[in-house]
Amino acid sequence: MKTTKKDDYINQIADVFYEAIEKDLAPWTKSWKAEDFKYSSHNPISKNAYKGNNSLFLETLRMVKNYSSNAWITFNQVKELGGNIEKGSNIFHARYI
């Protein structure tokens, strides 16, 4: 059976959540304090905060990958700022489904 882009996206999300559970980092089961979520996942260029599934996914991804920042920018924003993406880097999609 051929997979679609939507299937690939859903599998990517499932993989991140599975890894979070394996590492006991799932934010929906971890004891937490309000200040742990003082700043939500956001795009510092557009000043938009991610909401819903994207917010949950990006916060979980941040914890799994041990990223210190919860700021996320697009590929095009990286290019516009004169930056480069390292060869072999993984991209993660935040989108409406």
Side-chain angles (χ1 to χ4, degrees):
M1 183 163 102
K2 184 178 178 183
T3 62
T4 65
K5 286 185 179 183
K6 185 175 178 180
D7 292 332
D8 291 340
Y9 176 63
I10 291 168
N11 287 332
Q12 183 182 38
I13 291 172
D15 289 345
V16 170
F17 287 151
Y18 181 78
E19 187 176 351
I21 292 167
E22 287 282 306
K23 292 181 176 181
D24 198 26
L25 294 173
W28 59 91
T29 61
K30 185 177 181 182
S31 61
W32 55 274
K33 300 176 283 220
E35 61 262 16
D36 292 341
F37 297 94
K38 186 175 180 181
Y39 302 103
S40 63
S41 296
H42 66 283
N43 182 307
I45 308 299
S46 69
K47 308 288 189 223
N48 290 326
Y50 291 97
K51 299 174 186 154
N53 290 334
N54 287 332
S55 178
L56 176 62
F57 172 66
L58 292 173
E59 183 60 20
T60 303
L61 180 63
R62 184 187 69 77
M63 294 169 125
V64 167
K65 299 295 184 184
N66 202 28
Y67 296 153
S68 60
S69 175
N70 58 359
W72 303 86
I73 62 175
T74 68
F75 177 78
N76 286 338
Q77 288 170 332
V78 171
K79 287 183 2 184
E80 288 169 7
L81 293 169
N84 295 307
I85 305 295
E86 291 181 13
K87 187 174 182 170
S89 295
N90 292 322
I91 61 169
F92 295 95
H93 297 279
R95 64 172 96 162
Y96 295 102
I97 58 170

